[in-house]
Amino acid sequence: MRRARTPQEGCGTSREGTWRRSAAGVTRALSYVVFSVLLATTASQPAAAKKKLPSTFGKQSIFGKVNTKVDQTQPMRLQGDQLIYDKAGNRVIARGNVEIYYNDNILTADEVVYDQGAGTLTAIGNVTLKEPQGNIVHADRYTLTDDFRDGFVQSLSIVSQDQSTITADRAVRKGGNVNEFTNGRFTPCKSDGGTPPLWCISAAKIIHDADAATITYQDAYFQIYGQPVFYLPYFQTPDPSVKRKSGFLTPIYGNSSTLGYITGIPYYWAIAPNYDLTLTPTYFTDQGLLMQAEWRHRLANGQYTVKLAGIDQNARDLPGYNPNDPDAFSKYDGVRGSVETKGVFSLSSWWKFGWDITEESDDQFRRFYKLDSVLVTDRVNQIYLTGQSDRNYFNATLYQFQGLLSTDTPTTEGYTHPIINYNYVFADPVVGGELKWNTNILSFTREDGSPINPITGQVENENLQRAVTELKWRRRLTDAIGISYTPFADVRGDVYAFDGATNPETVELKPGTTDTYVGDVRNDTISRGLADAGVTVSYPWVATTPGATHVIEPIGQVVNHQESIPQRGLPDEDAQSLVFDDTNLFSTSKFSGYDRIETGTRANVGLQYTFQANSGGYARVLAGESYQLSGENIYLNPGRDADGSFIYTPTSGLETSRSDYVLGVYLAPVDEFRLISQSRFDESTTELRREDAAMVFNFGPLSTQAGYSYDANAFIVNPDGTVSNTTGTEQQEFLGSATLRLTDRWSIGGTTRYDIDKGQLLYDSLQLKYADECFALTASYIESNYVDETIEPDRTFMVRLEFKHLGDFAAKTDVTDFNMGGDERVN
């Protein structure tokens, strides 16, 4: 009967040899002997004994193959206290602090014996062999045969380049590529003094196959701090030199209040050097088995990925299911799934083609199963072609826009097929200034009934085709006292063709209802010409102190547009975002797109202060205001869409002839601190109307980020159609995150999103992580309080254990967007 091994025998500290030792009382004789001299000393031996001294070091490393070929023309250099020629024994003996250098290999030992008769070289006592790829072999005795393929090592210790070690009582090399270790111990962990490593595997036999790049363990124990955890009669792992190899990855463990207990184990299949497949079956006790697959493929000019996910859903298991109303969740019953694909390819030095597309069976699937963050409420799919040179830029993109909330209506669904942008900057100055040519072409469809025809009562699709081309000219001049003048002029032509489009000017509540809006539907083709011109004037005053430079700069701008442009009745697809702040104070139009443009004459004024310290500190403050001097104010009375929502906000701060005040503050006094604040204040009461602030602070082991947003988005529509501000509907939200490194191995971090007005915690997470050179533990807690049909408040706890060389070690857990289909790889 085979005697069972004692597990505690396995994982002690690895023995460390050294190749610099002193010989007390001996005057060290330093002699570098060229390899050819050693051959010459054997000239008196019989002819049969005259052999070329072979390489002292085998060509195979312990972990992976040695790519460097042995250069037979390189000399061998030997250094030791004594060099003895034993003609009777046909041996050459070097004793005392022996060091041998050959082909970037370094061997040190107490004694080295070359036996010409046996064709072997034996290193004895405190043997250390450092190989070119970084592996270090420690042994009491190291013997190799003449061809340096087959050999054995006694009391062996091997340290690879990444500090992984194998210790053994005995080792044998066979066939030049297979190493067998008897009573071996493997660990990538470091250990101090007599403390065992954090984890290791001890086995009766460890077999390393360099060609197959595998390590096989027979009769093995997995141990933590020297204590056995479980017994492994047989298993196999890739060796530490392998970057990609098929096998199981780190398992997934967790618990969710809506999904139940979570268990999954990914399998990674390295099919070829340039493509692979990851399969991830994940079981939820409350929902069933979710299958995921990820295909990755890299080609000569680009790469792409395809991710699949699916589950056979029983709608009765979903949160919120009402047995008295089973039809409400019938759309979720049966197979649910999604396809996600991304790719980018370089067609030439200037051209690039790519896509980013996600399609799912329903809008709830990916957020419910945490394949996307619950914060993702919109889907934007795209296919694009981009070309760029020194003065040209071209982009053509197909977009699909989709709202994911159950409250979304068809107005959130749309397609561009395509949208094209072309920009060209003329090489030669025109009238001393820079001339740009911009062209935008849009073809757009809003599907599934955005407008409602009040006459026919039928749902109609909206189709829009638009072409815009413009020339922009700018020139900067500076006079003798430092005043800067920047005159500019723009000329633009538009063509619109649309059908089934709701007229924003006519949308109103349907009589007898409180939430149903109707409006005229237009089919028309319109062309128009637009022009504006103006000048920006600034007068910077510069003051220099011993530690910094200060610049105070008054800025004024006058922009003259046409007094009125027929645009209120046109569809608005790209100018719905209207945020007035310091970043667009001096823009000729504050809108985000082409479908709306400023009219009349407007003056923009501001004062900017810039501070630049010699130590690198920086600060900039810009305050200003905008005035409507004449003509129609397009920012007033925006009109409504088919759902009754305003096309853009009627309380942007620009709706009055004198705008709100805007203030921008940008502070970076030191590298560890950054602050950005963008504020808007009421022009008559100076009350805060809008605030967006962001801060980054890093101090030693602490890293923090914080964001605050406030919007007094309150308004009433007067009988004459004008809009007045009121109070009572403010929106305030705080978003923050912090990470604290407790030690060099322990860290804690978290995020939070809090609705201040409702006094409700929307989302928060906490992560505790331990990571060292061989092991990582991540514990994450995620709490979400969002509600949307099947999505209900959820509490999720996940644990991830990662053991180096035993599955995925490089992947990380992102507490702000937990994704069970994350990028796991064998490393």
Side-chain angles (χ1 to χ4, degrees):
M1 179 179 296
R2 178 177 56 83
R3 182 178 66 87
R5 296 182 300 108
T6 304
Q8 288 81 354
E9 294 175 355
C11 294
T13 58
S14 61
R15 295 175 299 111
E16 297 290 339
T18 177
W19 59 278
R20 294 195 178 275
R21 291 170 292 273
S22 61
V26 178
T27 302
R28 185 171 187 180
L30 299 177
S31 59
Y32 281 88
V33 182
V34 179
F35 184 42
S36 58
V37 174
L38 288 178
L39 288 178
T41 60
T42 63
S44 60
Q45 302 300 320
K50 293 182 180 179
K51 298 181 180 179
K52 181 180 178 181
L53 185 63
S55 169
T56 309
F57 312 100
K59 297 181 181 180
Q60 296 291 339
S61 69
I62 298 299
F63 297 133
K65 300 179 181 179
V66 180
N67 295 323
T68 305
K69 295 182 179 180
V70 174
D71 185 357
Q72 301 290 352
T73 63
Q74 291 294 317
M76 173 185 288
R77 292 182 171 86
L78 180 145
Q79 174 178 297
D81 294 339
Q82 289 182 301
L83 191 62
I84 302 171
Y85 304 96
D86 181 5
K87 294 184 178 181
N90 198 18
R91 300 183 304 170
V92 179
I93 304 171
R95 289 177 180 168
N97 301 307
V98 181
E99 299 178 9
I100 298 178
Y101 303 85
Y102 183 62
N103 271 278
D104 296 324
N105 293 274
I106 302 174
L107 175 68
T108 64
D110 293 338
E111 180 176 294
V112 174
V113 179
Y114 173 57
D115 190 330
Q116 297 185 88
T120 61
L121 186 143
T122 302
I124 304 169
N126 297 312
V127 181
T128 299
L129 169 61
K130 184 175 182 180
E131 299 175 323
Q133 72 276 25
N135 296 332
I136 300 175
V137 180
H138 301 284
D140 289 337
R141 186 181 184 91
Y142 196 174
T143 302
L144 294 173
T145 54
D146 186 42
D147 59 4
F148 291 89
R149 296 197 320 163
D150 301 339
F152 66 88
V153 181
Q154 293 180 341
S155 301
L156 182 76
S157 174
I158 302 172
V159 182
S160 69
Q161 192 171 12
D162 69 348
Q163 300 303 306
S164 297
T165 63
I166 289 182
T167 59
D169 294 341
R170 185 174 182 272
V172 177
R173 174 172 292 179
K174 298 179 179 179
N177 68 310
V178 176
N179 300 290
E180 294 187 0
F181 305 92
T182 302
N183 289 334
R185 283 80 61 192
F186 169 79
T187 181
C189 304
K190 297 179 181 179
S191 59
D192 300 323
T195 304
L198 191 151
W199 69 268
C200 86
I201 300 173
S202 63
K205 182 171 289 188
I206 301 176
I207 303 173
H208 173 246
D209 189 324
D211 286 346
T214 60
I215 299 178
T216 303
Y217 303 86
Q218 299 177 5
D219 191 17
Y221 289 91
F222 183 86
Q223 300 182 12
I224 296 180
Y225 285 119
Q227 300 301 315
V229 176
F230 51 85
Y231 174 69
L232 302 166
Y234 176 91
F235 78 105
Q236 188 178 85
T237 65
D239 74 27
S241 68
V242 175
K243 300 301 180 183
R244 299 171 65 255
K245 193 171 183 66
S246 301
F248 289 100
L249 305 180
T250 305
I252 301 168
Y253 307 102
N255 177 262
S256 167
S257 57
T258 58
L259 300 175
Y261 288 98
I262 304 169
T263 304
I265 180 166
Y267 181 82
Y268 176 74
W269 185 11
I271 305 173
N274 63 323
Y275 53 88
D276 52 42
L277 178 68
T278 302
L279 301 174
T280 309
T282 306
Y283 181 72
F284 307 95
T285 56
D286 290 353
Q287 301 300 328
L289 181 64
L290 176 73
M291 294 298 300
Q292 298 177 73
E294 179 183 1
W295 169 268
R296 302 189 310 164
H297 192 185
R298 182 183 295 274
L299 295 94
N301 62 336
Q303 60 184 347
Y304 70 95
T305 63
V306 179
K307 297 181 181 180
L308 306 176
I311 191 171
D312 188 1
Q313 182 72 66
N314 187 337
R316 292 187 296 273
D317 296 333
L318 292 172
Y321 176 80
N322 185 358
N324 298 321
D325 186 16
D327 293 338
F329 275 22
S330 60
K331 59 184 176 182
Y332 302 123
D333 208 15
V335 177
R336 302 175 70 192
S338 68
V339 179
E340 178 184 5
T341 176
K342 298 179 182 180
V344 60
F345 289 87
S346 177
L347 305 181
S348 68
S349 59
W350 289 358
W351 291 93
K352 180 173 65 175
F353 171 76
W355 67 88
D356 184 351
I357 299 173
T358 300
E359 291 294 333
E360 54 189 321
S361 57
D362 57 83
D363 294 343
Q364 305 266 311
F365 171 72
R366 292 185 61 84
R367 291 183 297 147
F368 179 77
Y369 284 105
K370 297 177 173 51
L371 304 178
D372 285 337
S373 168
V374 70
L375 306 179
V376 176
T377 58
D378 295 284
R379 181 82 66 211
V380 179
N381 294 323
Q382 60 177 308
I383 302 173
Y384 59 88
L385 173 67
T386 301
Q388 185 171 5
S389 65
D390 294 339
R391 295 186 174 273
N392 291 268
Y393 173 80
F394 174 89
N395 175 266
T397 304
L398 302 172
Y399 283 109
Q400 180 199 30
F401 304 98
Q402 179 181 0
L404 300 179
L405 298 177
S406 59
T407 55
D408 285 329
T409 67
T411 59
T412 62
E413 313 285 333
Y415 300 86
T416 67
H417 35 75
I419 182 170
I420 298 173
N421 284 288
Y422 176 73
N423 310 111
Y424 176 73
V425 180
F426 288 83
D428 298 324
V430 177
V431 195
E434 181 186 66
L435 184 64
K436 297 180 181 179
W437 175 34
N438 300 327
T439 298
N440 174 272
I441 299 174
L442 169 67
S443 178
F444 179 82
T445 297
R446 191 184 301 283
E447 296 224 355
D448 298 330
S450 54
I452 298 180
N453 190 318
I455 300 176
T456 65
Q458 295 179 350
V459 174
E460 299 183 7
N461 293 337
E462 175 188 345
N463 296 287
L464 170 67
Q465 285 74 42
R466 181 194 70 200
V468 176
T469 187
E470 62 181 344
L471 288 172
K472 288 178 170 289
W473 176 85
R474 297 285 188 276
R475 182 179 181 183
R476 185 171 183 176
L477 305 169
T478 304
D479 64 16
I481 63 174
I483 300 177
S484 174
Y485 305 87
T486 306
F488 56 87
D490 302 340
V491 179
R492 170 176 152 184
D494 299 352
V495 177
Y496 280 80
F498 52 88
D499 61 83
T502 301
N503 185 344
E505 293 183 297
T506 64
V507 176
E508 59 184 13
L509 277 171
K510 185 177 181 179
T513 67
T514 59
D515 58 359
T516 301
Y517 287 82
V518 293
D520 293 338
V521 176
R522 296 184 62 187
N523 303 314
D524 207 348
T525 299
I526 295 175
S527 61
R528 61 183 183 177
L530 311 173
D532 65 66
V535 62
T536 303
V537 181
S538 64
Y539 188 14
W541 299 348
V542 181
T544 302
T545 61
T549 301
H550 309 263
V551 180
I552 299 177
E553 184 179 14
I555 306 172
Q557 181 187 68
V558 176
V559 186
N560 183 261
H561 304 272
Q562 291 150 279
E563 291 293 289
S564 179
I565 298 173
Q567 57 180 324
R568 293 187 183 276
L570 294 177
D572 182 1
E573 298 300 343
D574 67 356
Q576 298 180 10
S577 175
L578 177 57
V579 177
F580 177 47
D581 56 28
D582 65 290
T583 61
N584 59 6
L585 173 62
F586 297 103
S587 298
T588 58
S589 180
K590 314 293 192 288
F591 287 106
S592 58
Y594 289 98
D595 288 337
R596 294 293 185 269
I597 190 171
E598 282 187 3
T599 51
T601 301
R602 182 171 286 273
N604 305 307
V605 297
L607 179 66
Q608 181 171 261
Y609 166 73
T610 304
F611 168 85
Q612 182 67 64
N614 296 340
S615 60
Y618 173 82
R620 183 171 68 88
V621 179
L622 173 62
E625 193 177 16
S626 181
Y627 298 85
Q628 183 77 26
L629 302 180
S630 67
E632 181 185 18
N633 187 351
I634 188 59
Y635 302 111
L636 180 66
N637 302 331
R640 299 176 183 267
D641 62 19
D643 291 331
S645 301
F646 284 105
I647 295 292
Y648 48 85
T649 175
T651 56
S652 63
L654 294 163
E655 66 274 6
T656 54
S657 58
R658 178 183 173 185
S659 78
D660 288 347
Y661 302 104
V662 293
L663 175 67
V665 179
Y666 305 85
L667 301 178
V670 292
D671 291 340
E672 292 77 16
F673 179 79
R674 297 286 189 277
L675 174 67
I676 297 175
S677 173
Q678 296 172 321
S679 312
R680 178 165 60 86
F681 302 90
D682 188 273
E683 54 88 14
S684 58
T685 66
T686 67
E687 292 182 359
L688 182 65
R689 308 303 300 166
R690 184 182 179 94
E691 173 67 33
D692 291 288
M695 181 270 294
V696 176
F697 176 64
N698 299 314
F699 181 74
L702 177 65
S703 299
T704 62
Q705 298 183 40
Y708 170 77
S709 63
Y710 168 79
D711 186 6
N713 189 24
F715 54 87
I716 57 175
V717 181
N718 301 319
D720 62 356
T722 61
V723 178
S724 301
N725 289 341
T726 184
T727 58
T729 58
E730 293 92 352
Q731 297 176 346
Q732 297 184 78
E733 191 171 275
F734 172 80
L735 177 65
S737 66
T739 301
L740 176 63
R741 181 168 291 278
L742 303 173
T743 68
D744 60 341
R745 296 182 176 181
W746 286 95
S747 63
I748 186 172
T751 63
T752 184
R753 187 170 185 174
Y754 185 76
D755 190 320
I756 299 175
D757 296 310
K758 295 181 179 179
Q760 180 183 7
L761 191 65
L762 302 178
Y763 183 92
D764 69 290
S765 63
L766 182 67
Q767 181 188 74
L768 179 67
K769 186 167 186 177
Y770 171 88
D772 60 21
E773 75 282 351
C774 66
F775 173 74
L777 165 67
T778 304
S780 302
Y781 172 78
I782 305 168
E783 180 179 8
S784 169
N785 291 309
Y786 288 89
V787 177
D788 186 27
E789 275 196 3
T790 66
I791 298 174
E792 292 191 346
D794 178 72
R795 312 291 179 267
T796 302
F797 179 74
M798 299 298 297
V799 175
R800 185 183 185 88
L801 301 174
E802 305 171 55
F803 297 92
K804 189 174 184 180
H805 304 314
L806 299 181
D808 177 19
F809 187 75
K812 63 180 180 181
T813 301
D814 185 349
V815 298
T816 63
D817 186 7
F818 167 60
N819 187 336
M820 287 175 289
D823 296 328
E824 296 94 354
R825 297 286 178 273
V826 172
N827 292 279

